[in-house]
């Protein structure tokens, strides 16, 4: 009876969360997509789990196959949620990870999926005996290592980001980790109970609850931080790290008005979203990306090393070039960049903004001088 109660609770909880976050289904951000897919998988798990429990021990081929494939689904879905959590967290706090890192994770996911398929023919993860009873085999621990390994990977990235950036976002990873760890440990070491699906449901609900705290500081369209966060960040950073020096970049999309006039504002919104993704990917763990106003963005880099700043700027240009070559959008993205150093002990925010704004417009003048077909009226 307890299995039915906890899974019904989890399913209802996630249904309520989904109803209150329908707007997230309409967004095209990678982190929102990963989160919503986690929610869907978590809900399905809370439905499948008690059905598998009901089928166990029952006679007949239907109950047997439901037991086999239902348990296979739960293994695959729980593993998928671990990877989706990693995608969500890394995309949310630092715009993703390196290509090599992604390929390693994709390889681990592929091995895990192939293993589940193989298990249907040559059981090594779990077996359903002649009495239609589920039993773990040695391969169960492989999937435990994969799930915990991916989760541990996300925790390491979280704290590395915190160390590099000094001031992290509001998102607390423990609201996800604690309920999931409790549910997983309980089911792993107390054989016969089923708490992973319910623990995952509570963890996902905790993520959504925590994200509400960020809404006041998030730009609704791009998912980046907004101007209010810029004030909060600098005020809090200067209080915690007196005398620290940051480097700021101000960016403005070239010919953005032309994109809106030629293709419409919905395409213009897509251009802003794509630019935001490029900046997050370029900043990684070193910077905070902010949508300042309209098509203007600010990137705060936790460094005053000019060589490192130049590498970051080059990364932005390289990612823009890569986007323009591969994208099927009807426009080409281009940006002007101004940079400046902010000494939190001596500089005011207004002086800093004016400095990088001036540098950005000087860069924009050079762009239009070299690209005479892009009239200033369309900037």
């Amino acid at each position: 009876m307890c299995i039915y109660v906890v899974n019904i609770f989890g399913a209802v909880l996630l249904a309520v969360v989904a109803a209150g976050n329908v707007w997230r289904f309409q967004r095209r951000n990678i982190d929102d997509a990963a989160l919503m897919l986690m929610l869907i998988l978590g809900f399905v798990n809370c439905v499948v789990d008690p059905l598998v429990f009901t089928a166990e021990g029952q006679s007949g081929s239907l109950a047997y196959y439901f037991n086999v494939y239902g348990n296979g689904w739960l293994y695959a879905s729980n593993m998928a949620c671990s990877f989706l959590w990693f995608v969500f967290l890394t995309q949310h706090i630092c715009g993703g990870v390196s290509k090599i890192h992604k390929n390693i994770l994709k390889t681990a996911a592929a091995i895990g999926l192939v293993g589940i398929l193989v298990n249907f023919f040559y059981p090594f993860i779990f077996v359903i005996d002649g009495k239609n009873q589920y039993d773990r085999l040695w391969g169960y621990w492989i999937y435990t290592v994969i799930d915990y390994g991916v989760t541990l990977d996300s925790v390491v990235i979280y704290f590395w980001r915190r160390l590099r950036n000094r001031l992290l976002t509001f998102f607390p990873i423990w609201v996800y980790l604690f309920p999931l760890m409790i549910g997983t440990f309980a089911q792993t070491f107390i054989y016969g109970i089923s708490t992973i699906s319910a623990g995952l449901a509570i963890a996902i609900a905790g993520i959504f609850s925590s994200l509400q705290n960020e809404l006041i500081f998030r730009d609704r369209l791009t998912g980046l931080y907004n101007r209010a966060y810029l004030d909060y960040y600098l005020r809090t950073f200067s209080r915690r790290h007196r005398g620290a020096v940051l480097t700021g970049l101000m960016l403005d999309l070239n010919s953005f008005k032309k994109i809106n006039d030629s293709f419409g504002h919905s395409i213009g919104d897509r251009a802003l979203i794509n630019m935001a993704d490029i900046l997050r990917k370029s900043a990684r763990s070193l910077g905070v990306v902010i949508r300042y106003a309209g098509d203007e963005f600010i990137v705060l880099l936790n460094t005053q090393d000019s060589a490192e700043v130049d590498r970051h700027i080059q990364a932005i240009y390289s990612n823009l070039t890569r986007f323009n070559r591969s994208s099927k959008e009807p426009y080409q993205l281009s940006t002007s960049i101004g940079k400046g150093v902010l000494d939190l002990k001596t500089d005011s925010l207004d002086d800093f903004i004016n400095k990088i704004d001036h540098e950005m417009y000087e860069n924009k003048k050079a762009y239009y001088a070299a690209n005479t077909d892009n009239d200033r009226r369309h900037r």
Side-chain angles (χ1 to χ4, degrees):
M1 179 60 69
C2 289
I3 289 178
Y4 296 110
V5 172
V6 296
N7 281 285
I8 290 173
F9 168 78
V12 171
L13 178 62
L14 291 181
V16 171
V17 170
N21 290 270
V22 174
W23 59 274
R24 289 187 184 273
F25 284 100
Q26 303 169 1
R27 295 179 59 169
R28 300 186 180 185
N29 294 332
I30 296 175
D31 48 346
D32 275 324
L35 189 56
M36 297 311 292
L37 187 53
M38 280 181 66
L39 189 150
I40 293 170
L41 291 178
F43 178 84
V44 174
N45 286 1
C46 288
V47 174
V48 171
D49 201 7
L51 292 178
V52 168
F53 175 77
T54 302
E56 187 172 4
Q58 301 296 317
S59 60
S61 59
L62 180 62
Y64 172 79
Y65 286 120
F66 202 97
N67 202 1
V68 171
Y69 294 113
N71 276 293
W73 163 268
L74 290 173
Y75 272 92
S77 181
N78 289 334
M79 183 181 66
C81 284
S82 297
F83 285 95
L84 287 169
W85 155 256
F86 181 92
V87 171
F88 161 75
L89 183 67
T90 55
Q91 189 69 30
H92 190 70
I93 67 173
C94 60
V97 294
S98 69
K99 188 174 182 179
I100 295 176
H101 203 148
K102 287 180 183 177
N103 289 336
I104 293 173
L105 291 173
K106 287 178 181 178
T107 301
I111 291 173
L113 182 59
V114 170
I116 292 170
L117 295 176
V118 169
N119 188 80
F120 292 139
F121 305 97
Y122 304 99
F124 72 99
I125 307 170
F126 67 89
V127 66
I128 306 300
D129 63 20
K131 296 181 180 179
N132 199 21
Q133 295 288 338
Y134 166 90
D135 192 23
R136 293 177 189 165
L137 300 178
W138 60 270
Y140 169 85
W141 296 104
I142 295 176
Y143 287 83
T144 301
V145 170
I146 291 176
D147 292 348
Y148 278 108
V150 173
T151 303
L152 179 61
D153 192 9
S154 71
V155 173
V156 170
I157 291 176
Y158 174 88
F159 283 106
W160 174 246
R161 160 77 168 174
R162 189 168 183 169
L163 178 65
R164 291 290 303 273
N165 202 37
R166 299 189 187 178
L167 180 65
L168 197 56
T169 62
F170 308 100
F171 184 76
I173 60 173
W174 307 116
V175 298
Y176 172 83
L177 294 179
F178 278 166
L180 186 62
M181 288 170 61
I182 292 172
T184 304
F185 284 161
Q187 185 165 326
T188 299
F189 297 108
I190 306 176
Y191 193 80
I193 69 171
S194 180
T195 53
I196 291 179
S197 296
L200 177 62
I202 296 171
I204 294 171
I207 296 174
F208 278 94
S209 177
S210 296
L211 289 176
Q212 298 302 314
N213 297 328
E214 290 189 349
L215 288 181
I216 190 174
F217 293 116
R218 285 281 182 180
D219 174 57
R220 187 70 175 266
L221 176 66
T222 63
L224 296 178
Y225 290 110
N226 57 23
R227 193 166 178 171
Y229 182 76
L230 176 65
D231 295 334
Y232 166 84
Y233 181 94
L234 293 177
R235 186 174 63 252
T236 307
F237 195 100
S238 61
R239 187 172 64 247
R240 295 183 183 179
H241 310 284
R242 296 184 184 278
V245 177
L246 300 172
T247 300
L249 306 178
M250 177 169 276
L251 304 93
D252 181 273
L253 283 179
N254 295 324
S255 303
F256 179 66
K257 185 177 185 300
K258 187 176 181 179
I259 294 175
N260 276 329
D261 291 344
S262 301
F263 307 110
H265 287 278
S266 61
I267 299 297
D269 286 347
R270 285 219 311 258
L272 293 172
I273 292 171
N274 287 325
M275 187 64 192
D277 289 341
I278 288 169
L279 292 178
R280 279 191 291 195
K281 185 185 298 183
S282 303
R284 300 279 184 210
S285 62
L286 184 63
V288 174
V289 185
I290 295 159
R291 185 184 178 193
Y292 186 66
D295 61 322
E296 292 182 338
F297 301 88
I298 288 178
V299 181
L300 295 177
L301 301 173
N302 183 28
T303 182
Q304 53 182 318
D305 184 335
S306 60
E308 192 165 17
V309 173
D310 288 341
R311 283 195 297 270
H312 178 82
I313 293 174
Q314 187 55 49
I316 295 174
Y317 285 131
S318 296
N319 286 327
L320 279 170
T321 300
R322 193 174 295 112
F323 171 85
N324 289 329
R325 286 176 179 171
S326 61
S327 172
K328 296 180 180 179
E329 298 286 2
Y331 54 79
Q332 295 278 288
L333 285 179
S334 172
T335 186
S336 298
I337 303 176
K339 67 177 179 179
V341 173
L342 171 62
D343 188 333
L344 294 169
K345 188 163 56 176
T346 60
D347 297 339
S348 70
L349 178 58
D350 288 339
D351 290 339
F352 169 67
I353 296 297
N354 289 336
K355 179 167 55 178
I356 59 176
D357 184 64
H358 175 75
E359 292 291 328
M360 183 266 292
Y361 274 103
E362 288 299 314
N363 186 250
K364 186 174 284 290
K365 285 181 184 178
Y367 168 81
Y368 284 114
N371 298 271
T372 55
D373 57 320
N374 289 304
D375 191 278
R376 284 178 179 274
R377 291 171 296 176
H378 297 299
R379 71 178 185 176

